[in-house]
Amino acid sequence: MGDPVAGYTSRLQQQELEIHSLTAELESLKNPQGLGLSSHLDGLREENAKLKYRLNVLKRSLQEERSQCSKTMMNINQRLQEIFGEAIREAFPDLENPPLAVTPNQQAKFGDYQCNSAMAMAQMMKSKGLKVNPRQIAENIQQNIPDNELIEKTEIAGPGFINVHLKRSFVSKLLTNLLLNGVQPPRLESKKKVVVDFSSPNIAKEMHVGHLRSTIIGDSMCRLFEFLGYDVLRLNHVGDWGTQFGMLIAHLQDKFPNYLTVSPPIGDLQAFYKESKKRFDEEEDFKKRAYQCVVKLQSKDPAFIKGWNLICDVSRKEFQKVYNCLDIQIIERGESFYQEKMTAVVKEFEAKGLVEMDEGRKIVFAPGQQIPLTVVKSDGGYTYDTSDLAALRQRLFDEKADIIIYVTDSGQGTHFQVVFAAAQMIGWYDPNVTRVEHAGFGVVLGEDKKKFKTRSGDTVRLMDLLDEGLKRSMEKLKEKDRDKVLSTEDLTKAQRSVAFGCIKYADLSHNRINDYVFSFDKMLDDRGNTAAYLLYAFTRIRSIARLANIDEAALRKAAETTEVLLEHDKEWKLGKCLLRFPEILQKILDDLLLHTLCDYLYELATTFTEFYDSCYCIEKDRQTGEVVKVNMWRMLLCDATAAIMAKGFDILGINPVSRM
């Protein structure tokens, strides 16, 4: 037998095509002019009625199959937008591109969701000389809501809000689907190729706190795209080419003359870099030799390539220590990869007459941009502008990327804006077809609200920061006496989970556009919206079934046979919160702001606490402490909460442990 889901999907697509065809046919039948003599009118009306009947049958069938066949989670907000979009088109067929706004209701007494289109539509009509009361618009929309699987009732409130109450039975079915099939993302229309450029440290320099945000944010974006089913290429655009390498190789030759046969013991690459830079600034002969080394390197002289590779390898080992701690998977593709592609890029711009000369430089002005790109320096060398243009072209044409995201600090925003404008000008991509975006972020501040530095004023090394995180998290665990109940192995796992989870979450829980204050005390606090609080909450939720002696097999069987009851207000609130997960992910996909997921996970954890405090999952004998009753549908809500939280953690790159 073939995959039943694939079969259902094929039938759904066929039905949707037929519905579209029938709708078009109905439209043509509404106006009988030009279709023949009036003697045909009765026949046309009869055919019209038949078509309407067939259309309604197909719509009902489509709804039934949509609610039954999919193993994926439904985006309820998106489905409501489809329903209200259809109602608006039916009620106001002559209104072009009417506004469509559906949001979760903030107050439970007004329902579960709210359609707020009526007021904006009234404004649109007013601009066209039509004065219509928004409440009347809302009534017309309400009357045209098609039969559907999830709306129990609608009510009009205030000036024209349409409050939506969901069917509890349908929400219960969606929760059962989640329990049986796991957290499955909504089906993609097409599998797109995504390139995410993130982390990007410089060779011969240690990773510092400035690289922390790009690494954490970029990894989380990749995890989101991967979960949703995209084909993701994670790229590390390291700074591995340029004048500084002539300086480093010249110093390497002086300090380790036998470097070609014996690997030099460069333990501290940062110190090595500072030594060579000091000589470059102070010794004229050394400076000349450094420039000669650059020429030799660019001409691919084997001895100089060997020196370059040695320096790159030492750096890679240091970078990998950080990536291992933070569980980062990334492919290195540095500036050197694009060196031979830059000449072709410059020639392409010249061939199209887009290059101007400016005091010996070759520059490119893009439409709407005040700053030009320098594609060739006056000495004939290439620049970061040339390198970034070559990288963008390679990703568009060789990788065939549909989406390209650059995760760097906001200070580079103007640079990327000009690069993207130049690429559009030359015709490399259409922004309406291909998404190319700079996801900028603010700087990391110390608790004094100044740029994060060591006491001596140096930039904070990233490995030092991670080691400090491990030390602080162990202190926190011992403060809670976890070292007395956990094995050495479990304690170490908890230490790493808390340390690195808190560092990631502290970054991701802030709007990336803003600067944020780095504080170990705040991030390790187990109160409020922190990873420490969420990790402890998750461990507590996972332990409920264990305390009731219910294993995974029993939960699975219960999911197959037990209806998830949502009669208590707190059960209903939790059930709806769980099913908002796909909406949250869609919002992040649109704006790339990951703090929305952190806010959602915190809301889910607090909503679960309300539910657990109000609804008994397990009832125990007060004298013996023995379990006398298990409310299995509530245990299933516990299980669903743990599943959603686990997937949320996974997208954030946080690794929870079963015992903490």
Side-chain angles (χ1 to χ4, degrees), residues 95 120-131:
L95 197 63
M121 288 171 68
Q123 288 295 323
M124 183 184 271
M125 291 177 181
K126 188 177 179 181
S127 69
K128 295 181 179 181
L130 298 169
K131 194 170 181 183

Side-chain angles (χ1 to χ4, degrees), residues 217-469:
I217 294 167
D219 176 59
S220 189
M221 285 180 186
C222 291
R223 287 169 180 268
L224 173 65
F225 280 112
E226 285 160 355
F227 171 64
L228 294 173
Y230 291 84
D231 177 15
V232 180
L233 178 60
R234 299 155 159 259
L235 288 184
N236 199 0
H237 190 80
V238 296
D240 66 351
W241 203 254
T243 310
Q244 75 271 26
F245 283 95
M247 173 181 88
L248 286 161
I249 291 168
H251 189 53
L252 183 72
Q253 289 172 335
D254 291 348
K255 200 159 187 181
F256 304 106
N258 62 342
Y259 76 90
L260 288 172
T261 53
V262 180
S263 184
I266 308 174
D268 190 342
L269 200 57
Q270 189 86 342
F272 189 84
Y273 181 88
K274 284 180 180 176
E275 287 169 14
S276 61
K277 181 73 170 73
K278 188 172 185 293
R279 291 184 68 191
F280 186 83
D281 292 339
E282 295 174 1
E283 301 174 23
E284 196 59 37
D285 287 347
F286 180 81
K287 191 173 189 175
K288 285 178 184 174
R289 200 150 50 83
Y291 280 125
Q292 288 168 359
C293 287
V294 173
V295 174
K296 293 272 191 182
L297 180 63
Q298 289 176 341
S299 63
K300 303 290 175 69
D301 183 297
F304 290 83
I305 290 292
K306 174 89 185 270
W308 173 72
N309 276 324
L310 281 170
I311 293 164
C312 290
D313 286 344
V314 173
S315 283
R316 284 189 193 104
K317 285 172 186 170
E318 291 302 310
F319 299 160
Q320 198 55 48
K321 289 177 187 175
V322 172
Y323 296 146
N324 288 344
C325 285
L326 298 176
D327 190 22
I328 306 295
Q329 304 296 320
I330 194 164
I331 294 169
E332 183 185 310
R333 193 177 286 173
E335 291 169 14
S336 60
F337 178 85
Y338 304 101
Q339 287 307 299
E340 293 178 7
K341 302 177 189 301
M342 289 196 254
T343 304
V345 164
V346 174
K347 283 181 179 175
E348 188 175 344
F349 274 90
E350 286 177 327
K352 295 194 177 180
L354 300 172
V355 174
E356 299 176 27
M357 294 301 297
D358 177 60
E359 296 181 350
R361 297 182 304 151
K362 291 183 179 181
I363 62 172
V364 172
F365 274 101
Q369 305 299 318
Q370 295 180 335
I371 303 168
L373 294 173
T374 299
V375 292
V376 181
K377 293 187 292 185
S378 56
D379 65 3
Y382 296 130
T383 67
Y384 285 123
D385 295 347
T386 334
S387 173
D388 282 334
L389 282 168
L392 179 53
R393 192 186 193 288
Q394 192 274 339
R395 292 161 188 181
L396 288 165
F397 292 97
D398 297 355
E399 301 299 343
K400 295 182 171 47
D402 302 292
I403 301 170
I404 305 173
I405 311 292
Y406 292 80
V407 187
T408 73
D409 66 272
S410 295
Q412 296 186 50
T414 303
H415 164 71
F416 281 112
Q417 191 177 312
V418 181
V419 169
F420 300 162
Q424 289 169 45
M425 173 180 72
I426 202 169
W428 287 352
Y429 77 96
D430 177 352
N432 296 313
V433 177
T434 306
R435 180 181 181 182
V436 180
E437 191 169 336
H438 175 235
F441 53 80
V443 298
V444 182
L445 304 175
E447 294 191 67
D448 58 359
K449 305 287 170 61
K450 294 178 182 176
K451 212 166 182 181
F452 197 33
K453 301 271 187 185
T454 62
R455 286 181 183 175
S456 62
D458 292 332
T459 305
V460 179
R461 290 175 69 247
L462 202 40
M463 273 312 299
D464 290 346
L465 195 75
L466 298 176
D467 288 341
E468 179 68 14

Side-chain angles (χ1 to χ4, degrees), residues 160-175:
F161 301 111
I162 304 175
N163 290 325
V164 178
H165 297 260
L166 300 176
K167 290 179 182 175
R168 296 201 177 207
S169 59
F170 187 72
V171 170
S172 177
K173 282 180 186 174
L174 292 180
L175 289 167

